[in-house]
Amino acid sequence: MTLFATADSVTRGRLHAIVERGYEEDRSVDAKVAEYLHISETFEHAGEFDLIHSHYDFMALAFSRLVKTPVLTTIHGFSSPQVLPAYLKYRDGNFVSISDSDRHPDLNYLATVYNGIDLSLYPLVEKQGRDLVFLGRIHPDKGVHLAIETARLSRRRLVIAGIVQDADYFRREIEPQIDGDRVRYVGPVGIDGKNELFSQADALLHLNTIPERFGLVLAEANAAGVPVIAMDLGSCREVIADGRTGFLVHDVQEAAMAVDRTKEINRRECRDHVQRRFSIDAMIDGYEKVYQEIFAASGKSIP
Amino acid sequence: MTLFATADSVTRGRLHAIVERGYEEDRSVDAKVAEYLHISETFEHAGEFDLIHSHYDFMALAFSRLVKTPVLTTIHGFSSPQVLPAYLKYRDGNFVSISDSDRHPDLNYLATVYNGIDLSLYPLVEKQGRDLVFLGRIHPDKGVHLAIETARLSRRRLVIAGIVQDADYFRREIEPQIDGDRVRYVGPVGIDGKNELFSQADALLHLNTIPERFGLVLAEANAAGVPVIAMDLGSCREVIADGRTGFLVHDVQEAAMAVDRTKEINRRECRDHVQRRFSIDAMIDGYEKVYQEIFAASGKSIP
């Protein structure tokens, strides 16, 4: 396995780098130049590989018909409808979606492979906590205001963690509700901070207002045994087993009712569910199946 | 000959378009998507062609090693030092410069081929006019202030034409000198406007303060028989034959002395010089030689 990435990347495979650092971190580099150098380098070495697995949006597709090596593209979301022409030209290619809900109907998907998380980072918390937790960017899309409303309706404490992405929204709708007791804001947190929150949590509230491609934090909470109360939008119903690892809801009333039912959730089952579906092993299994399908289609023996 | 360009392009060759309009003219199009679709389309058809002649900056180079068809790149200037890594990776490719002065020492140049102008657009004006003319963007790089100073020193009228690119510069250094008589500003002009100016011109002043890649307007003025007084910087000495089609100078004093010598210039010789070196025919001849050189190197017969 060879990883084509910036020189500061960490991998157990062989690293092939032509660009030193991410262009967001190195202002001396022209992003477009770095991008072209990076992709062309990869495809100039195509003959050395059985498969090129691209996570590089639509750009690698433009090179895909110029080499014999099959190209697999994982689409980590469509950044805007304007990128669709680039995908549609190569619709017969090999695509993987990161959730069933984040698919375009006209592309040749071989599978959905969910992003995997490292379960060893999130130990199981067997004891049910009392607090409700919001974890994510402070942005209207993330429904932080709905989490606050749910906590109020269910008379629970809420802890909010995450970066402020929309400062207006924070100032207008969130900050006035923070009282350091019923509603606390602890800023952005790392893995330790997340586990600290999970250890006190009765449930994670994820009341998004727009469909999400894939909510990694839902799987992280479940990994720690914490039930998730999630808006039934986008990929949430793919991540949460309704009634078994949390509850899918449609408004704050339903969310508040779900809060009263969290004792029905078996915390160990939450973790087992993540292990089966959203672990790194599950992701690897998913991709290995896709690779084998591509090799079979090209008449190649499986390396 | 097949031209890969936007669908609104005008060509006598075959037009192959995958993008409707220039992305500056069509805000519904993502520039990056259009760029990738355009280049990949070209290279996916590489097998149909004996040669791909790219005017598309460094981007086409990234595809050049993935096809057997030789690629020739005309470098219409380096937009910044940051683009050099993309050129240097492909330094052994086939490059044409647009002037001898606009070259990077490490690239494999096959020739300089000057941009050609259509001489039929600029009829010869045999009779020497009285005015001095500046034609170009109003920007400090273009030395409009030096043209004004030269006119003042040589007690001539100056007509300035062109778009205001640097509004501060215009307001601060140019506008206060415009009196509608000794110094006039007529705004941007098209081909008719240029010919109108050439018909009254004693000389064109081109007193750039930084090196230029290639001054098309110098060739246009010479085509009309108008001598050019140009700063001896960048490509000017490639365009102007000093003492025969104009004068190369180093400051406004020399420029003013040159104004007094314009009668030494044979206007018909100016035009003949442009015909030989900067006409469309000269450009075609130049490129045909380069094409033949590439075919010879690849052992191909000349199509």
Side-chain angles (χ1 to χ4, degrees), chain A residues 178-225:
Chain A
I178 297 170
D179 62 7
D181 176 32
R182 308 304 298 178
V183 179
R184 288 196 294 140
Y185 173 59
V186 298
V189 292
I191 288 165
D192 287 348
K194 285 186 194 179
N195 281 316
E196 174 72 22
L197 293 175
F198 292 154
S199 73
Q200 308 156 15
D202 183 12
L204 181 86
L205 296 181
H206 189 85
L207 303 172
N208 259 38
T209 58
I210 62 160
E212 245 191 354
R213 289 159 188 161
F214 182 76
L216 210 55
V217 71
L218 281 63
E220 290 168 350
N222 270 181

Side-chain angles (χ1 to χ4, degrees), chain A residues 18 23 27-30 32-33 35-37 39-45 56 58-67 80 82-86 89-90, chain B residues 18 23 27-30 32-33 35-37 39-45 56 58-67 80 82-86 89-90:
Chain A
I18 193 162
Y23 48 70
R27 291 297 166 188
S28 75
V29 169
D30 180 280
K32 188 165 161 178
V33 168
E35 179 179 301
Y36 274 90
L37 284 173
I39 312 183
S40 64
E41 182 73 10
T42 307
F43 280 85
E44 286 161 6
H45 289 268
Y56 209 49
F58 64 84
M59 289 85 85
L61 294 172
F63 294 74
S64 62
R65 291 187 185 156
L66 304 178
V67 299
S80 89
Q82 294 184 317
V83 305
L84 288 177
K89 176 173 175 184
Y90 298 95
Chain B
I18 195 162
Y23 48 71
R27 291 297 167 189
S28 75
V29 169
D30 181 279
K32 188 165 160 179
V33 168
E35 179 178 301
Y36 274 89
L37 284 174
I39 312 184
S40 64
E41 182 74 10
T42 307
F43 281 84
E44 286 161 5
H45 288 268
Y56 210 49
F58 63 84
M59 289 85 85
L61 293 171
F63 294 75
S64 61
R65 289 187 186 158
L66 304 178
V67 299
S80 88
Q82 293 184 316
V83 305
L84 287 177
K89 176 175 174 184
Y90 298 95

Side-chain angles (χ1 to χ4, degrees), chain B:
Chain B
M1 201 284 287
T2 299
L3 177 67
F4 285 81
T6 51
D8 56 1
S9 304
V10 177
T11 176
R12 273 194 266 179
R14 200 172 76 88
L15 179 64
H16 188 129
I18 195 162
V19 178
E20 287 302 309
R21 286 179 294 162
Y23 48 71
E24 288 293 339
E25 290 137 48
D26 185 352
R27 291 297 167 189
S28 75
V29 169
D30 181 279
K32 188 165 160 179
V33 168
E35 179 178 301
Y36 274 89
L37 284 174
H38 175 69
I39 312 184
S40 64
E41 182 74 10
T42 307
F43 281 84
E44 286 161 5
H45 288 268
E48 302 163 24
F49 304 107
D50 298 303
L51 178 77
I52 294 174
H53 183 175
S54 165
H55 296 269
Y56 210 49
D57 205 342
F58 63 84
M59 289 85 85
L61 293 171
F63 294 75
S64 61
R65 289 187 186 158
L66 304 178
V67 299
K68 293 203 182 74
T69 310
V71 175
L72 169 66
T73 301
T74 297
I75 305 177
H76 293 272
F78 300 98
S79 53
S80 88
Q82 293 184 316
V83 305
L84 287 177
Y87 281 103
L88 291 173
K89 176 175 174 184
Y90 298 95
R91 69 179 76 195
D92 299 330
N94 304 305
F95 296 98
V96 157
S97 49
I98 59 163
S99 66
D100 291 342
S101 75
D102 194 40
R103 284 193 168 196
H104 186 283
D106 296 336
L107 303 183
N108 178 42
Y109 290 100
L110 302 186
T112 286
V113 178
Y114 297 111
N115 290 323
I117 64 168
D118 179 352
L119 271 84
S120 71
L121 298 176
Y122 302 100
L124 176 65
V125 182
E126 306 236 23
K127 188 174 171 302
Q128 191 178 350
R130 276 295 296 170
D131 293 347
L132 302 177
V133 171
F134 171 93
L135 248 177
R137 295 175 282 117
I138 314 298
H139 189 282
D141 291 350
K142 293 288 186 181
V144 195
H145 56 294
L146 302 182
I148 294 171
E149 177 70 4
T150 300
R152 198 184 56 74
L153 286 174
S154 52
R155 299 170 190 277
R156 295 293 190 92
R157 287 198 171 80
L158 174 70
V159 185
I160 299 168
I163 60 160
V164 174
Q165 191 183 34
D166 186 329
D168 268 0
Y169 172 65
F170 180 72
R171 207 171 319 112
R172 214 176 47 243
E173 301 202 38
I174 309 305
E175 207 171 31
Q177 315 245 31
I178 296 170
D179 61 7
D181 175 33
R182 307 304 299 178
V183 179
R184 288 195 297 138
Y185 174 58
V186 298
V189 291
I191 288 166
D192 287 349
K194 285 186 192 178
N195 281 316
E196 174 71 23
L197 292 175
F198 291 155
S199 73
Q200 308 157 14
D202 183 15
L204 181 88
L205 296 181
H206 188 85
L207 303 172
N208 258 37
T209 57
I210 64 159
E212 246 192 352
R213 290 159 187 160
F214 182 75
L216 210 56
V217 70
L218 281 61
E220 290 168 351
N222 270 180
V226 176
V228 174
I229 297 167
M231 201 66 91
D232 189 9
L233 268 177
S235 64
C236 286
R237 63 168 46 238
E238 296 175 58
V239 185
I240 300 305
D242 195 23
R244 292 198 300 117
T245 70
F247 298 97
L248 296 169
V249 300
H250 301 89
D251 53 40
V252 288
Q253 282 72 28
E254 285 186 25
M257 286 191 289
V259 170
D260 293 332
R261 293 179 56 197
T262 52
K263 59 187 173 302
E264 298 172 23
I265 304 295
N266 179 328
R267 291 191 153 225
R268 190 165 284 278
E269 192 179 336
C270 290
R271 186 172 180 86
D272 291 347
H273 184 253
V274 173
Q275 178 69 58
R276 275 194 311 277
R277 292 175 60 92
F278 308 110
S279 61
I280 290 175
D281 286 346
M283 180 174 69
I284 291 172
D285 286 350
Y287 275 122
E288 281 183 348
K289 279 203 192 84
V290 173
Y291 296 165
Q292 289 177 6
E293 196 174 323
I294 293 171
F295 294 143
S298 68
K300 265 202 182 175
S301 62
I302 293 150

